[in-house]
Amino acid sequence: SRIETMKAVSKVKINDGSFVKRSDGSWVYSIVKDRCYGDRDDNRATITFQVNAEGSTKVMTLSKCGKFARRVRHNQNDGGGEVAISDEKANAIFDVIKKGQRLLM
């Protein structure tokens, strides 16, 4: 469910891997670059994802993460809303990103 996914994505830390849905509908591997837990005025938590080697980012509120983001877990089974991949596959994905290639899912 979206709530389970949002809870899973809320666990990401800076430099964690994740998948983000782009505006064209494709999913791209990304790296968490920043977390903002909201301030007193708007109380909106956001996560900033780096979506390519050039440094382009996508910022989304935690409430949108249930639909547009997936946390990557490495060889663990700790709940829904995540994409499980092996460490070998994660390293291959990082290599693609470093070369500036687009990863198609």
Side-chain angles (χ1 to χ4, degrees):
S1 77
R2 283 190 189 175
I3 292 175
E4 288 175 347
T5 302
M6 185 178 69
K7 286 179 183 177
V9 174
S10 73
K11 298 176 186 176
V12 298
K13 299 176 187 104
I14 292 176
N15 293 323
D16 278 357
S18 58
F19 286 94
V20 172
K21 191 171 189 176
R22 301 299 307 260
S23 55
D24 67 2
S26 66
W27 287 88
V28 20
Y29 188 81
S30 65
I31 298 171
V32 176
K33 285 300 175 188
D34 193 28
R35 299 265 334 232
C36 176
Y37 295 94
D39 57 30
R40 293 178 208 172
D41 296 331
D42 66 12
N43 200 26
R44 292 176 50 158
T46 61
I47 300 174
T48 301
F49 300 93
Q50 181 180 336
V51 295
N52 61 26
E54 291 80 31
S56 298
T57 59
K58 183 166 188 156
V59 179
M60 69 177 71
T61 61
L62 194 55
S63 62
K64 295 286 185 188
C65 288
K67 185 174 181 181
F68 299 108
R70 298 293 181 268
R71 176 178 165 228
V72 173
R73 61 182 160 84
H74 298 269
N75 300 321
Q76 298 173 1
N77 188 6
D78 58 359
E82 301 165 312
V83 178
I85 62 173
S86 67
D87 289 336
E88 180 179 306
K89 188 168 185 175
N91 289 333
I93 291 169
F94 279 120
D95 288 341
V96 168
I97 291 171
K98 285 180 199 171
K99 293 176 186 172
Q101 301 169 344
R102 185 173 177 129
L103 181 69
L104 300 176
M105 298 301 293

